[in-house]
Amino acid sequence: MLSREPEASVSNMDLIRAGWFSEVSDLWPGQSLSLKVKEVLFHQRSLYQDVLVVDTTNHGKALILDGIIQCTESDEFSYQEMIAFLPLGAHPNPQKVLIVGGGDGGVAREVAKHPAVEQFVQVEIDALVIEQSKKHLPFMAKGFESRKLTLVVGDGFEYMKNHQREFDVIITDSSDPVGPAVNLFTESYFGLLKTALKPNGVICSQAGTLWSDLPHVKQTIRNCQTHFPLVEYAVSSVPTYPNGQIGYLVAALDPDLDLTHARHPLEELGLRYYSPEVHQAAFVLPAHFKKELANLK
């Protein structure tokens, strides 16, 4: 995530009424997902966003930033495994990895599992998210305990400006395109990713949902295509995300790399969602969306 000046916004607590948290956002107008809240575990505004952690009746603990659900205990593994292993599985030898964002620690947890990864850096700007994830979401935040990890609390843009041609894989685990995450979907951001990668590098970024915001998905792909010769879009099922689905933009500097092919079996890791078969299937889109995303340049 990127730095910005504090600004007034609707408090997450204003979205809890009669014991239910409701995710109401202009990003997906006319619909809302509600979670029944057993207990509010933490609520405070950081320098960058409104941070809420709740315990729910059906989905366990949940992290909510600026009124938008980031993860729930029941289904977070789908998102964390896919955003990590889609690029790690496609890269021939992902020894050094950069994570931008991901303050809950879930992506770090998954990256640490990959046997080829020797070291990885995570840059997260909001120290409060890291602190409260360690306290309330240890099932994800245990990723911060990896000896392979160097954790940097700071601005991902500024970090990459000073680290060029360094990483095999860069994973951008951003929140949705509001507040501090807006710039993580821009053409200039993908330009920074390119310069921070080694020549055969692969990236993966959270890329919204086809069902709620197809124009945003298209523009994000175009922004990436400005700098990367090979760009693909994949999806996975996450029930507590809008429309139950999330997309991943996966791109490579090598135009001949097959991003849809998983090079590493990884059965011994005991993953709960990702597999070589799921990796390949994730890039198979419904006919309508396949047509919409074709030939965007």
Side-chain angles (χ1 to χ4, degrees), residues 120-155:
F120 65 102
V121 178
Q122 179 168 352
V123 184
E124 163 63 51
I125 200 168
D126 200 332
L128 186 64
V129 174
I130 297 173
E131 172 192 303
Q132 294 304 315
S133 295
K134 288 180 177 179
K135 182 175 181 180
H136 296 294
L137 310 171
F139 51 92
M140 288 191 292
K142 65 182 180 180
F144 294 128
E145 301 170 4
S146 173
R147 294 182 179 180
K148 300 178 182 180
L149 170 64
T150 299
L151 180 61
V152 177
V153 178
D155 187 319

Side-chain angles (χ1 to χ4, degrees), residues 224-239:
C224 185
Q225 288 175 332
T226 302
H227 299 282
F228 287 82
L230 179 61
V231 181
E232 300 284 358
Y233 188 87
V235 297
S236 76
S237 172
V238 188

Side-chain angles (χ1 to χ4, degrees), residues 37-48:
V37 176
K38 291 197 299 184
E39 181 183 1
V40 175
L41 301 174
F42 177 82
H43 177 243
Q44 183 178 317
R45 183 163 185 85
S46 73
L47 290 174
Y48 309 104

Side-chain angles (χ1 to χ4, degrees), residues 67-82:
I68 298 176
I69 297 167
Q70 304 301 306
C71 55
T72 71
E73 191 171 357
S74 67
D75 59 16
E76 54 85 14
F77 63 92
S78 166
Y79 173 78
Q80 315 292 354
E81 290 183 9
M82 290 295 280

Side-chain angles (χ1 to χ4, degrees), residues 201-223:
V202 176
I203 66 165
C204 186
S205 297
Q206 187 268 100
T209 171
L210 296 167
W211 296 97
S212 294
D213 199 358
L214 183 59
H216 166 69
V217 172
K218 286 182 173 182
Q219 187 57 53
T220 303
I221 292 174
R222 290 190 187 99
N223 291 340

Side-chain angles (χ1 to χ4, degrees), residues 15-31:
L15 300 175
I16 299 179
R17 298 180 180 180
W20 289 80
F21 168 82
S22 296
E23 183 183 72
V24 179
S25 174
D26 292 338
L27 294 173
W28 32 90
Q31 66 182 58

